Amino acid sequence: FLITIAGELPVLLDALEVRSAHLVGHDWGAAVGWLAVAMFPSRFLTFTSLAIPPLGGMLAAVRRYPSQARKSWYMAFFQLRGLADFALARDDFAFIERLWRDWSPGWDWPAAAMEEVKATFRQPGVPRAALDYYRRLFDWFALPNRRARGLIARPVAMPVLVLHGRTDGCMDARLAAASISPPQFPAGVKLEVVEGAGHFLHREQPERVNTLLLDFLAGHG
């Protein structure tokens, strides 16, 4: 399913009459980005991944830091059809607030931001669609997932910046370094761990993240 989304990016660029662009993604957007740069290397000048380490080295990194399994408990819980759907929607999606507290400890998010998220989830079909992301992720033998595993193992043709929050409670910050294999990045890869930030690092430390991103882009045309 992520391959389908990644496949739409060149269509979007064509519609905008843009030959190539810098690609930046966070969380699921970063996961899509890792696939997109493998599928269409000529369309992207650079890739910046926020909060998602290189997918090609992720499995080996998780073996090195098995405590990540505890942080990913919600992924397993979301496989429980019916129960997970009920728990997610209960008390006006209080489950989302719990996840945000776990993922970005100490972040006092704007009330308006959470309300925007909940307003989206209140729409018919949205909760199930969101849970399906996780359910399809675990369909190991599906053809798209098998293809995706092959794609993320390829060398990444463009320069890459990996940004990760130090206190990320969703993806352990140690995974970022452990997932990087320099031979997979012939054009170069740079890792920056942002202090005082968790999973939503671009919202928690916007000035620091923007500076790192703009400096990186300025160095690559």
Side-chain angles (χ1 to χ4, degrees), residues 109-128:
W109 61 74
M114 179 59 67
E115 175 55 30
E116 288 177 1
V117 172
K118 289 187 175 183
T120 298
F121 272 82
R122 293 183 195 118
Q123 298 179 47
V126 170
R128 180 176 177 180

